Amino acid sequence: MKWIERQRAFMDYTLSSLWRRKLRNLALLMVYTLVIFLLSSVIFFTDALRKEAAAVLEAGPEMIVQRTVGGRHSLIPVAYAERIERIRGASSVRPRLWGYYYHQASRTNYTILVPETFSGPDDTVQTGGGVLRTWGALWDGRMYFRTHDGNSLFLLPTSAMSDGADLVTADLILMSEPTFRKISGVPEGHATDLVVRVRNERERPTVAEKIVRELPDTRPILREEIARTYAAIFDWRAGYVVVLLGSAVLAFFIFAWDKATGLSAEEKTEIGILKGIGWDTSDVLMMKFWEGAVVSVSAFALGAITGYVHVYFASASLFEHALKGWSILYPKFTLRPQVSAYQLAVLFFLTVVPYTLLTVVPTWKVAVTDPDAVMRR
Amino acid sequence: MTVRRSTGFLVFLLGCVLVMGGLFVVHPLIGGEEYARGLERRRQLVRDLGLTDLCLFTEARYTRHLSQADLHSAFQDHPMALEHFPSGSLVLPPPHLLEGGP
């Protein structure tokens, strides 16, 4: 009890001391909170996106086989499918037809795709959530397309894809195979790529090797590679966002170090007086420890709370511009709220611990000097 | 009777802990079922349509389908064409380059 009362007395003194220089300390608290807010937003956002990508794309194709010509993706002859089917381990092969369509009026890129079974007539399309939002004017309720040979094609949007699926389907336009070939110019007998099913998960790399041996101009992409691509993109420790943020955090610590090492004459006198009236070095250090802890714990709590609100209530609107880049179409999505103890521990050790140490070390230098010398200076 | 400053700070801290508990622990539980249904819908679409990528960066074809892009998409337009789309700067080089391997 005595120990707790002693610490509370230190805290009382520290808070009064902070309040005496309230403008400076409030400014520091704001900057510190902002740094933690940005860092926590990045950690929460990238982690939620990474988990979403892993959960959603787990259901994707097991293997895609592309054909490359001159190092670039090229159309694949459908006849390749038969040769792959003969490889032991490959249970089925399906040609996939998809491509991009640039709509002049809205200056937007859309993904056009032929599903395995398209139920509507040839002059209809199914659209993703963002398509009609960005497409612009319709002609008599129909969407205007320009085919690969320059002709006009008017297609009726029949139904939109289900709600809440923007993150995977926002820019998709589904159509029948003949319509796709008319628009894209992909000739009969060719497809964009092939989807290969391999039942045994452990056989996939072997099947991929066999495909490359059999068809040297192809490039198989495994589902695991797709998952790794997304895991790498949304890894907060490696993303370029953190490199940029790192400089902001570094700037903040330089600022904090500067503030702490350049103890003002007033603060030095205060330490001298405290030592003069009987405080020993450990008491002064404890007082400074509380000063650092009060500021950093407050900033940590406020920064983490605002970061969470930003990502999960405001859909990370500050990052939207960075993610959107030059694109017109941006999906509307909500991420599953989740915060792990690991994320909070990372945040805590990246911010609170270094700051508290930074404020204690320079004080120790002053606190160990003779009080008389400190007060005379 | 005046309130001790430390009491005020501890109350503030307790408030923060309660808000954090509400946000980090209770909030994720609310609407969990609806999210699970949404996720299943998205997975079903991915399965049915054979989708490979998230629709996050629609500005260029190699950022729209990151996992399907050519390995040298930054130079795709002509040999001196460097990456010029903003999302390209958010995407890392392939892991083997970062590891310094061949």
Side-chain angles (χ1 to χ4, degrees):
Chain A
M1 281 317 274
K2 203 178 159 196
W3 184 84
I4 294 176
E5 197 45 48
R6 188 175 151 80
Q7 298 307 316
R8 279 196 67 185
F10 275 128
M11 214 195 280
D12 280 333
Y13 180 80
T14 305
L15 287 164
S16 310
S17 156
L18 284 172
W19 192 247
R20 272 202 303 278
R21 294 178 284 269
K22 51 182 168 295
L23 263 182
R24 213 179 77 170
N25 286 316
L26 279 176
L28 173 73
L29 183 69
M30 264 175 60
V31 177
Y32 198 175
T33 305
L34 188 69
V35 169
I36 295 178
F37 160 77
L38 285 174
L39 204 57
S40 62
S41 296
V42 169
I43 291 177
F44 295 158
F45 185 64
T46 50
D47 212 50
L49 263 181
R50 191 168 52 83
K51 285 183 179 142
E52 175 75 23
V56 167
L57 299 176
E58 202 181 45
E62 288 151 14
M63 192 193 295
I64 299 282
V65 177
Q66 288 182 345
R67 182 177 175 228
T68 51
V69 174
R72 297 174 66 155
H73 178 208
S74 176
L75 297 177
I76 193 161
V78 177
Y80 276 27
E82 290 158 25
R83 291 172 68 180
I84 294 174
E85 255 170 357
R86 283 202 290 270
I87 293 173
R88 202 149 55 152
S91 57
S92 75
V93 185
R94 180 175 71 84
R96 213 163 59 126
L97 284 168
W98 65 276
Y100 300 100
Y101 180 78
Y102 180 71
H103 186 48
Q104 286 281 357
S106 63
R107 296 181 179 180
T108 311
N109 260 320
Y110 298 97
T111 303
I112 51 177
L113 181 120
V114 179
E116 205 170 351
T117 47
F118 183 73
S119 48
D122 284 354
D123 66 340
T124 60
V125 286
Q126 272 183 40
T127 53
V131 177
L132 291 180
R133 199 169 67 221
T134 51
W135 190 267
L138 297 179
W139 294 65
D140 203 15
R142 285 171 182 264
M143 296 162 77
Y144 164 79
F145 284 86
R146 198 179 140 90
T147 62
H148 76 283
D149 48 8
N151 293 320
S152 305
L153 195 64
F154 293 92
L155 302 173
L156 186 70
T158 51
S159 58
M161 267 165 266
S162 63
D163 248 8
D166 252 22
L167 196 56
V168 281
T169 60
D171 72 334
L172 278 192
I173 305 176
L174 305 184
M175 53 186 65
S176 70
E177 188 180 329
T179 312
F180 175 84
R181 291 198 190 275
K182 241 186 260 175
I183 293 174
S184 64
V186 174
E188 286 288 345
H190 284 79
T192 313
D193 47 33
L194 304 173
V195 176
V196 182
R197 283 208 63 191
V198 183
R199 251 186 230 119
N200 188 346
E201 198 178 322
R202 279 183 297 181
E203 271 186 17
R204 278 179 211 151
T206 323
V207 173
E209 264 174 46
K210 283 182 187 167
I211 291 173
V212 176
R213 263 207 305 274
E214 173 76 20
L215 302 160
D217 59 346
T218 58
R219 172 191 169 211
I221 302 166
L222 298 177
R223 184 160 66 193
E224 291 72 31
E225 288 170 348
I226 295 175
R228 274 204 298 275
T229 303
Y230 278 89
I233 292 168
F234 300 125
D235 186 348
W236 69 269
R237 284 163 299 185
Y240 285 132
V241 180
V242 158
V243 175
L244 298 176
L245 257 179
S247 48
V249 173
L250 202 65
F252 170 72
F253 281 127
I254 291 169
F255 165 70
W257 173 258
D258 186 55
K259 176 195 163 288
T261 45
L263 285 179
S264 65
E266 191 193 342
E267 283 171 300
K268 280 181 186 163
T269 315
E270 185 187 333
I271 292 170
I273 291 170
L274 289 175
K275 288 202 77 179
I277 59 170
W279 285 41
D280 59 26
T281 307
S282 65
D283 294 337
V284 175
L285 286 182
M286 187 54 83
M287 185 266 285
K288 278 289 164 184
F289 164 79
W290 275 114
E291 196 176 301
V294 162
V295 173
S296 47
V297 168
S298 308
F300 175 78
L302 294 173
I305 290 170
T306 45
Y308 185 93
V309 170
H310 170 232
V311 172
Y312 297 116
F313 288 89
S315 301
S317 43
L318 275 183
F319 299 148
E320 192 180 315
H321 282 286
L323 289 173
K324 206 171 171 183
W326 292 4
S327 47
I328 307 284
L329 196 156
Y330 186 69
K332 285 180 181 163
F333 59 90
T334 44
L335 294 163
R336 176 174 209 168
Q338 49 195 337
V339 174
S340 64
Y342 167 74
Q343 292 171 329
L344 291 177
V346 163
L347 203 57
F348 191 83
F349 282 101
L350 276 181
T351 53
V352 174
V353 174
Y355 179 80
T356 310
L357 288 178
L358 272 181
T359 50
V360 169
V361 172
T363 313
W364 172 75
K365 276 188 184 166
V366 178
V368 291
T369 48
D370 181 37
D372 182 51
V374 174
M375 279 189 283
R376 270 175 204 280
R377 226 181 273 162
Chain B
M1 194 184 94
T2 51
V3 180
R4 285 176 71 172
R5 282 188 193 275
S6 59
T7 311
F9 179 70
L10 289 173
V11 168
F12 162 76
L13 216 57
L14 183 72
C16 284
V17 169
L18 287 177
V19 173
M20 282 164 94
L23 287 176
F24 301 167
V25 181
V26 181
H27 180 240
L29 301 176
I30 303 167
E33 269 181 38
E34 197 190 327
Y35 173 82
R37 276 198 297 276
L39 179 66
E40 195 41 55
R41 265 204 308 273
R42 289 191 286 279
R43 285 166 63 96
Q44 192 59 45
L45 274 168
V46 167
R47 199 173 297 126
D48 292 348
L49 301 174
L51 303 178
T52 51
D53 289 84
L54 293 187
C55 177
L56 262 183
F57 316 114
T58 58
E59 55 191 344
R61 57 185 184 275
Y62 55 90
T63 56
R64 168 65 179 89
H65 291 96
L66 287 163
S67 69
Q68 309 293 299
D70 296 344
L71 296 176
H72 298 282
S73 34
F75 305 100
Q76 62 174 351
D77 296 324
H78 57 86
M80 291 297 286
L82 293 169
E83 175 56 49
H84 56 274
F85 285 106
S87 55
S89 60
L90 295 174
V91 179
L92 286 169
H96 68 272
L97 290 178
L98 292 172
E99 284 158 14

